[in-house]
Amino acid sequence: MDRYQRQTMLPEVGDVGQQRLAQARVAVIGAGGLSATLLPLLAGAGVGTLHIYDGDRVALHNLHRQTLFGMQDIGALKVHCAQQALARLNPDCRVEAHTAMLTASGVDRALEQVDLVIDAADNFATTWLLSDACQRLALPLISASVLGRQGYVGGFCGGAPGYRALFPQLPRTAANCNTAGVMGPAVAALGAIQAQMALSVLLAHQPSPLGSVTQCDFSRWHFNSFRFDGAEEPVNLLPFIDRQLLCDDDCVVDLRSSSEAPHSVSAHAQRILPADIAGWQPPADRRIVLVCASGLRAGQAAQQLQQRGLLRLALLAANY
């Protein structure tokens, strides 16, 4: 019996849909908790090529939610472990392991040969970067975030509004599962919804999940979804860049103290703490690049500068 028989018997899949999945090329950014569920589902469904990007190694504290890995994988690169696990699951699925996260200078080149992008990194700097790139390249993006027992999955770009149209402001805090905690089943549930959204996009199911968000609250057992097809794209975007995109005439402002980051991203960077941005007199004729660890402080400082009429701004998250 064909391994996909229970799937192809569905009229909305069939042999034509299965062939479409076999030819699909999907980029998955992040090989952690969300991917522990969504990657086996995509490979199991017969997606032809998966490009997985992650530079982290498996740690003991990952295993309660990153169930694609086991004790024997501790210390190994996540993308290599995922590649081996998916090869055992479905050898017909080609898995390309990339041992680094995507950066601003390489994202367009990395995504130009794929059909769909899945954001499983669960940090806002990466999400903004991917959404901006997917808007430029007209690629669909499936993004998810989960914290504690709550999370959401959304379909963006590819003809639908981008992530910034729905979330134009930076989050108030940089809390994530490493700092605030998360429950494994909540992560798995969101990862499964990501996989279903991805397959629905690849199979052109209607209504499309692009332009919609599904919210899951396992603390109150409340679930809902909504569409945002008419959301307007914001103007004066704050782009995320990396070290390779710095220019010689940039005014680089490192918002971290010397004790937090002894070496800045540029030898010519100025050190200005966030509390001192309000009294700083920036140059009017140069691009200002604001640097911090996660991008959160940089984004908040940029908003202050925008209110003063400065528009040539960029953000650099040094830890991503």
Side-chain angles (χ1 to χ4, degrees):
M1 181 180 293
D2 182 77
R3 71 179 296 148
Y4 307 114
Q5 192 266 348
R6 294 295 189 274
Q7 183 167 280
T8 55
M9 69 189 298
L10 294 170
E12 62 268 35
V13 180
D15 293 334
V16 173
Q18 195 60 51
Q19 184 62 30
R20 182 179 293 176
L21 293 180
Q23 296 171 350
R25 302 159 299 177
V26 176
V28 179
I29 319 305
L34 292 165
S35 283
T37 297
L38 74 89
L39 285 174
L41 289 173
L42 295 180
V47 172
T49 303
L50 295 172
H51 295 272
I52 310 174
Y53 292 83
D54 198 312
D56 287 347
R57 296 179 181 271
V58 179
L60 180 63
H61 62 79
N62 297 147
L63 300 184
H64 89 283
R65 67 193 186 282
Q66 299 181 19
T67 52
L68 195 60
F69 312 128
M71 293 293 293
Q72 73 280 0
D73 298 318
I74 292 175
L77 286 163
K78 292 180 181 180
V79 288
H80 289 162
C81 297
Q83 185 180 47
Q84 294 166 7
L86 298 178
R88 292 190 296 269
L89 174 64
N90 187 356
D92 293 334
C93 177
R94 178 186 176 193
V95 179
E96 296 286 341
H98 305 270
T99 57
M101 294 295 280
L102 286 180
T103 60
S105 57
V107 63
D108 283 16
R109 183 173 62 256
L111 300 183
E112 63 184 4
Q113 298 299 321
V114 304
D115 305 303
L116 172 74
V117 180
I118 301 179
D119 169 25
D122 203 2
N123 73 73
F124 70 88
T126 299
T127 301
W128 275 27
L129 173 66
L130 291 175
S131 180
D132 292 350
C134 287
Q135 284 289 71
R136 290 192 299 270
L137 300 171
L139 285 172
L141 170 69
I142 307 298
S143 180
S145 179
V146 58
L147 192 66
R149 290 180 286 163
Q150 303 174 354
Y152 69 86
V153 183
F156 306 91
C157 309
Y163 182 86
R164 297 197 200 216
L166 189 60
F167 301 105
Q169 300 296 326
L170 291 164
R172 294 179 180 178
T173 68
N176 56 43
C177 62
N178 292 325
T179 60
V182 71
M183 291 202 71
V187 180
L190 274 296
I193 298 174
Q194 270 191 297
Q196 185 61 63
M197 279 193 176
L199 293 175
S200 295
V201 170
L202 294 172
L203 292 166
H205 288 166
Q206 295 297 325
S208 173
L210 299 179
S212 73
V213 165
T214 296
Q215 297 173 310
C216 302
D217 183 345
F218 295 98
S219 62
R220 297 184 298 158
W221 298 105
H222 178 73
F223 310 94
N224 73 290
S225 62
F226 63 89
R227 298 202 64 87
F228 58 95
D229 302 274
E232 295 185 4
E233 300 291 345
V235 297
N236 300 325
L237 297 180
L238 292 170
F240 274 96
I241 67 171
D242 58 21
R243 290 174 175 84
Q244 285 68 41
L245 295 178
L246 288 173
C247 300
D248 291 339
D249 61 345
D250 282 337
C251 175
V252 181
V253 176
D254 198 325
L255 301 167
R256 302 169 296 171
S257 66
S258 297
S259 59
E260 178 187 350
H263 304 287
S264 185
V265 298
S266 169
H268 305 291
Q270 302 179 47
R271 299 273 188 175
I272 304 175
L273 295 180
D276 298 327
I277 283 292
W280 178 56
Q281 294 301 316
D285 58 345
R286 299 164 65 190
R287 182 176 71 165
I288 300 169
V289 179
L290 298 156
V291 182
C292 70
S294 69
L296 181 62
R297 285 170 289 177
Q300 293 170 343
Q303 290 171 1
Q304 293 185 53
L305 295 176
Q306 282 181 322
Q307 292 171 0
R308 294 162 60 181
L310 294 167
L311 299 179
R312 292 187 62 197
L313 302 166
L315 312 179
L316 198 158
N319 287 0
Y320 298 107

